[in-house]
Amino acid sequence: MEYLNLGHTGLKVSRICLGCMTYGSPSRGKILPGRQAWALNEAESQPLLRQALDLGINFFDTANVYSGGESEAVVGRFLKANVRRESVVIATKVHGVMREEPNGRGLSRKAILFELDQSLKRLETDYVDLYQIHRWDYETPIEETLESLHDVVKAGKVRYIGAPSMYAWQFAKALYLSDRHGWTRFVSMQNHYNLLYREEEREMIGLCRAEGVAVIPWSPLARGRLTRAWKAETTSRTETDAFGNRMYSQTEEADRKVVDRLGEIAEKRGIPRAQVALAWLLAKPAVTAPIVGASKPHHLEDAAAALSAQLTPEEMKALEEPYMPHPVLGFS
């Protein structure tokens, strides 16, 4: 495993981050219907979490909404029982609907302070290494959110803070306000970025590089679309993941050409498509650690192998050539 500093910080993270949305409980579907019907239960999750540690992964990303909080609980129990707290980097998020009541979601001071304490209880830890807002909150002044995040850092409950998919102007505004008021700055950007969706290259990637912000992309394999031939098979996730299916439904013809080109290069190299797709992402200068979800052992094996599957400039160009502009996706 390779390790990099998380942006302009001294925190070392593995170049593969394990996305823990997959782990929790498939029965907890009332908070976000259809989003986690495919989640693995605790017994099914543990071998994959163990495999991640064995591969040298020290970076684990979850969120309070995943399986209605069960993901945090499963990850927290496993890490507490199997590894020293100081040897891992735990990231979680706040924003989504946790309760059907006026203050049961969002990025108000009330929500952040309450939800962080609940996350810490489920994770069985005194602090979160990276606390991220899950989306931009249009109903709460960003100044309120930023000051609240600064306060939880100063209280010792959070080490660093991160931002999610948003417009570049929003992120630039947040960074400016933090600098102006002396508040804790966002050190990472968790955005939607992969071979099928490269709109982040227009503004956000350049902004992150200029500001020393780590890019930790979510859905680096486009919900599995970059791991197999075009529509070759379906999974329980593709059948029930309404959010993911909606994201890629408008660009199928353009996406098919990229998937076909990816297959050609993977076949020539004699390696799985996932390794090629992740190798492309890892070669991008702004990218620190793609967030890889894993429901089978070979998912993690491919992610680790991608670190050594360095692509040539010609292969990089060939993979990028068929891409067509896409509608902005993943901001809500």
Side-chain angles (χ1 to χ4, degrees), residues 121 239 251:
K121 289 177 183 177
E239 292 171 358
T251 55

Side-chain angles (χ1 to χ4, degrees), residues 221-238:
L221 296 173
R223 293 300 211 265
R225 288 165 176 79
L226 295 172
T227 67
R228 53 187 176 267
W230 185 251
K231 293 190 175 180
E233 61 178 303
T234 61
T235 65
S236 59
R237 179 166 185 174
T238 59

